């Protein structure tokens, strides 16, 4: 039924009181809110008192009080002492019509994708689900109230203590617990480094480069200096005249070219940093765990004697991309700056997640997981290379025997874009190296592609190679 009331000759309230299961106060609240949103009741219009409206609608004053209280809490009406209730002055919410653009040539067949050679994915079936489930249960303990508390900006001391021991044994890293900062992913750690160094510090980046590092430093306002790479890594001679700079490198397994920086080049880079106070090296050790023919190379930080290396690592590659947890080790001089900037903040990562990783390392599960994944990826890589042999001399595999992607150079007269399009049309996604260059692509890297195998089974690798052969050779 409908009820209405004219109040003070100003407005008429018409309320459709329904017989559904909705409480009466909710019906009154919904109707008044709609009328206000539609501007049928204008700003500053007076509405009936609670007593008047309750008498008119034959409902209790408590029902009206509930409706009015909800409207006041949400800001639709306001109460003026000794005067009554008025409609608030609410701005009009404007809808924006967003135009959806058509996809590009390379994505229009995305629904037909059969094989994705993503260089950043992992083997989902090999994830230690049972171990992780048990860790979660044991760490989510109602008697441990610390899991509900905020931890310091640097992160949980227990996890940092485990990292000191683990990184020293596996990567030769030398540090103390106080130097470690836990972050919410590599990009988060790089943003923190940016704030410590200040955005007036230029960042020298390997070219081609890890794209997210480039975008992060660019967004933080740094001058970007792209530095070429040879078969030993970043070319130091391009840096010699720069006095104040941070050099971002991936020395263990350069991304995306896959080359490893030999000891001679590492010492040359450290000597460059040692010659001026404002020079630092940012070592991103993103997938050093996955080296298949020889032992993993010691970190650059392990031979730094002068506090010039900022070491960055992550669990996203070694465990899973969804584990948004990174760690960095700051030289003592930069640690002082960090403490001034972040001492009042809490950690970006929940204490529960940090405790799970801490226990994962402490119980030896992390090391066992790495050994298992190293063997699995080594086997996949070898299988992948065998399958690619059907291309004969049309394909050249380049880069070190490490990581979970291959870098291949395709011998063809067609353009990179044509090759990507042909692959997509046949249900395969590949990753051209041009996406990782700052500026023009060097001619020797034309038609070079990253082909990840981490997430693929052997059967999927075989299918993907056959589809690529059809796309690139038999077309």
């Amino acid at each position: 039924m409908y009820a209405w009331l004219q109040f003070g000759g100003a407005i008429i309230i018409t309320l459709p009181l329904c017989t559904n299961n909705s409480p009466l106060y909710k019906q009154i609240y919904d109707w008044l809110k709609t009328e206000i949103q539609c501007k049928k009741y204008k700003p500053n219009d007076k509405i009936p008192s609670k007593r008047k409206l309750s008498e008119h609608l034959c409902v209790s004053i408590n029902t009206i009080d509930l409706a009015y209280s909800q409207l006041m809490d949400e800001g639709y009406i306001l109460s003026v002492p000794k005067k009554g209730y008025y409609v608030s002055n609410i701005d009009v919410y404007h809808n924006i019509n967003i135009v959806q653009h058509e996809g590009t040539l390379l994505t229009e067949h995305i629904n037909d994708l059969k094989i994705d050679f993503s260089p950043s994915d992992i083997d989902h079936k090999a994830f230690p689900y049972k171990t992780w489930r048990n860790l979660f249960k044991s760490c989510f303990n109602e008697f441990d109230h610390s899991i509900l508390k905020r931890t310091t900006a640097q992160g949980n001391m227990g996890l940092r203590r485990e990292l000191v021991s683990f990184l020293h044994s596996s990567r030769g890293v030398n540090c103390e617990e106080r130097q470690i900062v836990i972050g919410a992913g590599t990009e988060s750690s790089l943003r923190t480094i940016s704030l410590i160094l200040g955005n007036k510090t230029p960042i020298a980046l390997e070219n081609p480069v890890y794209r997210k590092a480039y975008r992060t430093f660019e967004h933080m306002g740094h001058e970007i200096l792209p530095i070429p790479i040879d078969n030993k890594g970043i070319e130091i001679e391009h840096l010699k005249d720069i006095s104040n700079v941070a050099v971002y490198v991936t020395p263990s397994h350069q991304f995306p070219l896959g080359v490893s920086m030999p000891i001679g080049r590492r010492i040359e880079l450290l000597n460059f940093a040692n010659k001026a106070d404002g020079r630092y090296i940012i070592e991103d050790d993103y997938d050093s765990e996955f080296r298949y023919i020889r032992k993993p190379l010691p970190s650059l930080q392990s031979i730094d004697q002068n506090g010039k290396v900022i070491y960055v690592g992550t669990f996203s590659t070694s465990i899973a991309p969804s584990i948004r947890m990174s760690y960095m080790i700051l030289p003592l001089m930069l640690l002082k700056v960090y403490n001034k900037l972040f001492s009042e903040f809490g950690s970006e990562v929940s204490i529960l997640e940090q405790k799970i990783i801490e226990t994962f390392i402490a119980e030896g599960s992390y090391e066992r997981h790495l050994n298992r994944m190293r063997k699995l990826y080594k086997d996949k890589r070898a299988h992948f290379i065998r399958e690619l042999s059907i291309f004969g001399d049309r394909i050249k595999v380049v880069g070190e025997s490490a990581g979970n992607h291959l870098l291949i150079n395709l011998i063809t007269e067609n353009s990179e874009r044509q090759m990507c399009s042909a692959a997509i049309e046949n249900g395969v996604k590949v990753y051209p190296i041009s996406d990782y260059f700052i500026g023009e692509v060097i001619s020797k890297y034309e038609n070079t592609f990253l082909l990840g195998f981490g997430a693929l089974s052997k059967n999927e690798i075989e299918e993907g190679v056959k589809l690529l052969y059809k796309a690139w050779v038999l077309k």
Side-chain angles (χ1 to χ4, degrees):
M1 72 178 177
Y2 285 83
W4 59 87
L5 173 64
Q6 183 164 346
F7 185 80
I11 60 173
I12 295 177
I13 293 182
T14 305
L15 300 173
L17 299 182
C18 305
T19 57
N20 60 24
N21 293 326
S22 180
L24 280 176
Y25 90 87
K26 180 74 165 51
Q27 296 180 45
I28 296 168
Y29 155 79
D30 285 336
W31 182 255
L32 283 171
K33 183 177 75 169
T34 302
E35 297 294 279
I36 292 169
Q37 288 176 333
C38 296
K39 296 297 181 183
K40 290 183 179 179
Y41 302 147
K42 297 179 174 55
N44 302 317
D45 277 346
K46 190 175 183 180
I47 64 174
S49 68
K50 290 186 283 187
R51 184 178 60 82
K52 286 269 188 186
L53 192 57
S54 71
E55 291 175 355
H56 182 74
L57 298 177
C58 299
V59 297
S60 74
I61 197 166
N62 288 337
T63 299
I64 305 300
D65 183 58
L66 285 171
Y68 276 27
S69 295
Q70 185 69 28
L71 289 166
M72 282 193 293
D73 288 345
E74 296 181 16
Y76 287 102
I77 64 174
L78 53 90
S79 174
V80 178
K82 298 182 180 180
K83 288 188 176 181
Y85 294 92
Y86 294 82
V87 177
S88 300
N89 191 356
I90 304 171
D91 197 6
V92 176
Y93 180 79
H94 298 280
N95 268 330
I96 300 173
N97 292 322
I98 300 174
V99 178
Q100 297 291 339
H101 296 282
E102 292 296 323
T104 64
L105 175 64
L106 300 185
T107 59
E108 59 188 15
H109 295 281
I110 204 71
N111 292 332
D112 301 325
L113 197 63
K114 298 174 182 175
I115 302 295
D116 185 356
F117 284 112
S118 171
S120 59
D121 211 348
I122 65 159
D123 192 315
H124 305 147
K125 293 181 180 178
F127 182 81
Y129 291 101
K130 183 178 179 180
T131 300
W132 208 256
R133 190 182 304 113
N134 292 336
L135 284 172
F136 185 86
K137 288 180 180 178
S138 64
C139 291
F140 193 70
N141 183 348
E142 65 266 32
F143 300 106
D144 181 5
H145 297 160
S146 68
I147 63 174
L148 303 178
K149 296 180 180 179
R150 190 182 79 161
T151 188
T152 62
Q154 287 185 243
N156 181 35
M157 178 57 78
L159 174 56
R160 286 188 276 152
R161 190 176 295 117
E162 290 297 333
L163 282 171
V164 168
S165 175
F166 180 80
L167 291 174
H168 181 70
S169 62
S170 64
R171 306 293 301 119
V173 169
N174 299 302
C175 69
E176 305 171 33
E177 291 96 336
R178 61 176 174 153
Q179 293 177 262
I180 298 179
V181 179
I182 306 299
T186 299
E187 294 79 35
S188 172
S189 292
L190 296 182
R191 285 192 294 270
T192 301
I193 292 169
S194 168
L195 293 171
I196 294 170
L197 297 176
N199 62 11
K200 293 191 182 300
T201 301
I203 305 292
L205 296 172
E206 302 165 316
N207 194 28
V209 68
Y210 174 54
R211 201 74 183 178
K212 289 183 181 178
Y214 168 44
R215 290 301 183 200
T216 298
F217 287 123
E218 184 183 49
H219 290 162
M220 295 298 286
H222 293 270
E223 178 188 0
I224 302 297
L225 308 174
I227 308 299
I229 297 171
D230 61 19
N231 61 356
K232 296 181 180 180
I234 196 166
E235 297 180 1
I236 310 297
E237 60 269 20
H238 294 274
L239 298 167
K240 289 182 178 177
D241 296 330
I242 309 170
S243 58
N244 180 51
V245 67
V247 186
Y248 173 87
V249 291
T250 50
S252 293
H253 186 230
Q254 199 279 331
F255 188 89
L257 296 183
V259 301
S260 296
M261 187 182 293
I263 187 65
R265 182 63 59 85
R266 292 176 182 228
I267 291 174
E268 189 180 355
L269 181 57
L270 283 169
N271 286 340
F272 160 77
N274 291 335
K275 289 177 182 177
D277 289 338
R279 293 173 175 172
Y280 288 97
I281 301 164
I282 303 169
E283 178 182 15
D284 188 343
D285 209 25
Y286 73 101
D287 74 346
S288 57
E289 301 89 355
F290 301 126
R291 193 171 179 85
Y292 307 123
I293 295 179
R294 295 174 290 276
K295 289 184 178 180
L297 299 171
S299 66
L300 186 61
Q301 195 270 0
S302 68
I303 56 175
D304 173 29
Q305 302 295 317
N306 297 291
K308 288 293 185 177
V309 176
I310 305 168
Y311 181 88
V312 179
T314 179
F315 295 108
S316 297
T317 306
S318 57
I319 301 178
S322 63
I323 308 295
R324 301 302 301 159
M325 196 183 304
S326 58
Y327 48 88
M328 64 177 175
I329 297 167
L330 294 173
L332 293 176
M333 286 298 294
L334 293 182
L335 182 61
K336 294 178 181 178
V337 182
Y338 173 85
N339 287 330
K340 287 181 181 178
L341 292 173
F342 294 93
S343 59
E344 297 181 1
F345 293 87
S347 176
E348 296 178 323
V349 184
S350 78
I351 187 67
L352 178 59
E353 290 178 280
Q354 294 185 55
K355 282 187 175 257
I356 290 173
I357 296 291
E358 174 194 340
T359 311
F360 193 51
I361 298 172
E363 293 181 348
S365 298
Y366 185 44
E367 186 174 1
R368 289 192 292 273
H369 173 69
L370 289 176
N371 290 335
R372 186 168 60 252
M373 298 308 293
R374 192 179 295 117
K375 182 176 182 300
L376 177 64
Y377 289 149
K378 178 182 178 181
D379 193 32
K380 285 188 183 183
R381 186 181 189 277
H383 184 74
F384 200 175
I385 291 174
R386 285 195 297 271
E387 291 299 310
L388 287 171
S389 64
I390 65 171
F391 283 89
D393 57 6
R394 295 185 181 91
I395 274 183
K396 180 182 179 184
V397 179
V398 295
E400 298 284 338
S401 178
N404 58 4
H405 73 265
L406 295 177
L407 195 69
I408 65 153
N409 180 243
L410 178 64
I411 310 302
T412 179
E413 294 181 357
N414 296 316
S415 70
E416 175 190 278
R417 185 172 180 80
Q418 288 174 319
M419 294 294 95
C420 287
S421 296
I424 283 289
E425 288 169 3
N426 283 273
V428 184
K429 187 174 182 181
V430 296
Y431 295 78
I433 202 172
S434 61
D435 288 346
Y436 303 92
F437 268 93
I438 304 171
E440 294 295 321
V441 180
I442 299 173
S443 58
K444 70 176 181 178
Y445 292 118
E446 291 178 357
N447 281 314
T448 299
F449 303 89
L450 280 75
L451 301 181
F453 53 82
L456 303 177
S457 67
K458 287 186 176 181
N459 288 339
E460 288 171 328
I461 290 172
E462 292 171 11
E463 181 185 5
V465 170
K466 289 175 181 176
L467 291 170
L468 277 183
Y469 188 79
K470 178 182 176 183
W472 288 351
V473 177
L474 300 180
K475 67 185 187 66

